Amino acid sequence: MNEIVSLLMQHRSVRAFEGSPLPEEDLRVIVAAGQMASTSSNVQAYSVIAVTDPALRRELSVLTGNQEYVETCAVFLVWCADLNRLSHAAAKYIPDGSDTYADSAENFIVATVDAALAAQNAAIAAESMGYGVCYIGGIRNRIAEVSALLNVPELAYPVFGMCVGVPGQLSGQRPRLPVDAVLHMNAYDAEKALGSVADYDETMTRYLRMRTDGRKSTPWTEIMAEWLTRPNRLHMLDFLNSKGFLKR
């Protein structure tokens, strides 16, 4: 196992940070590493907002579900899918009266995937520099308020946040599904995947029992059943439509 693979295999979310600031030079290196991620057709359809202002961080910690580490990390990065910059930059070359497709479902996917790929590159870069990270999907809990607070324009939206800072405490590493549950050779094999999921239920039951001193041992599939039946962030479609996405 080489050094990079070893680093990847050690990943864990960090939710407790020291008070150390993140030097701007390190921030720029982390974002530059993110920019080297693959991007569809070189559109680079993402932006990242580095939130360092304490008052803004306090508001964001509330808007994300009272997650205090949004406020206590060294810097909070808000990764945005962004077709606004591209639309304006290319406008001078688009003939008058010509239609554009920035509002299409496909281009929404392109921008969202681009943001995710860049963020993961940045996360790995940050970890290689000794920092810890934690993705914050709660940025979408009250996404209209977050967008207004951060002045996110039309054809752009916050996909997720990311806490970055010097770890104050390392949490345990949560087991992942077996490789055989996600790796299919030449064609999708649902039966093999489900067999591996059954093994994972046993792994997660043992993990939770150990982590909670026996207070919890819920199988992963039971936890996922609750997740699937929970109406989570159903406001997102209307919000994305309001920002000019998913029109066709």
Side-chain angles (χ1 to χ4, degrees):
M1 188 179 294
N2 65 40
E3 183 179 351
I4 295 172
V5 174
S6 179
L7 174 66
L8 291 168
M9 299 298 279
Q10 293 173 40
H11 169 75
R12 64 204 67 202
S13 295
V14 172
R15 295 180 175 87
F17 296 92
E18 293 183 1
S20 307
L22 185 77
E24 184 176 343
E25 181 181 352
D26 286 1
L27 172 62
R28 297 183 72 86
V29 168
I30 290 167
V31 173
Q35 288 184 269
M36 295 310 296
S38 297
T39 168
S40 180
S41 302
N42 201 33
V43 297
Q44 302 173 75
Y46 58 87
S47 292
V48 56
I49 302 168
V51 184
T52 57
D53 180 83
L56 280 177
R57 296 262 293 280
R58 198 168 301 116
E59 286 192 69
L60 286 169
S61 72
V62 173
L63 292 174
T64 57
N66 297 309
Q67 300 188 67
E68 64 178 28
Y69 27 94
V70 170
E71 188 176 353
T72 58
C73 63
V75 63
F76 185 60
L77 303 180
V78 179
W79 292 89
C80 300
D82 183 4
L83 288 167
N84 180 278
R85 179 183 61 236
L86 186 68
S87 297
H88 285 289
K92 62 184 177 181
Y93 295 109
I94 298 173
D96 290 343
S98 294
D99 203 359
T100 67
Y101 295 91
D103 60 359
S104 72
E106 168 62 13
N107 286 330
F108 167 79
I109 293 170
V110 164
T112 303
V113 171
D114 263 17
L117 293 174
Q120 185 60 14
N121 250 34
I124 296 163
E127 290 178 341
S128 77
M129 296 162 69
Y131 297 110
V133 305
C134 182
Y135 282 92
I136 305 294
I139 203 81
R140 302 188 300 278
N141 288 352
R142 296 163 66 178
I143 194 167
E145 293 167 82
V146 169
S147 294
L149 184 66
L150 300 180
N151 198 32
V152 178
E154 185 179 19
L155 289 174
Y157 84 97
V159 184
F160 42 71
M162 180 191 288
C163 299
V164 184
V166 176
Q169 179 181 342
L170 287 178
S171 59
Q173 194 173 41
R174 187 171 301 179
R176 296 299 199 240
L177 283 161
V179 172
D180 283 343
V182 299
L183 177 62
H184 302 261
M185 302 302 293
N186 301 312
Y188 196 102
D189 187 341
E191 184 176 351
K192 185 189 76 164
L194 287 175
S196 296
V197 168
D199 294 337
Y200 184 61
D201 261 350
E202 295 182 12
T203 299
M204 280 300 294
T205 297
R206 289 194 300 270
Y207 165 77
L208 287 173
R209 191 180 294 120
M210 179 184 67
R211 181 175 174 177
T212 64
D213 292 325
R215 293 187 302 275
K216 187 175 181 182
S217 58
T218 313
W220 179 74
T221 48
E222 184 178 340
I223 296 170
M224 291 300 101
E226 191 276 331
W227 183 83
L228 282 170
T229 54
R230 185 173 66 239
N232 194 24
R233 299 178 187 138
L234 297 183
H235 57 267
M236 282 300 301
L237 181 58
D238 286 343
F239 171 78
L240 291 169
N241 287 162
S242 76
K243 299 293 278 187
F245 289 108
L246 297 170
K247 299 293 187 181
R248 48 186 153 174

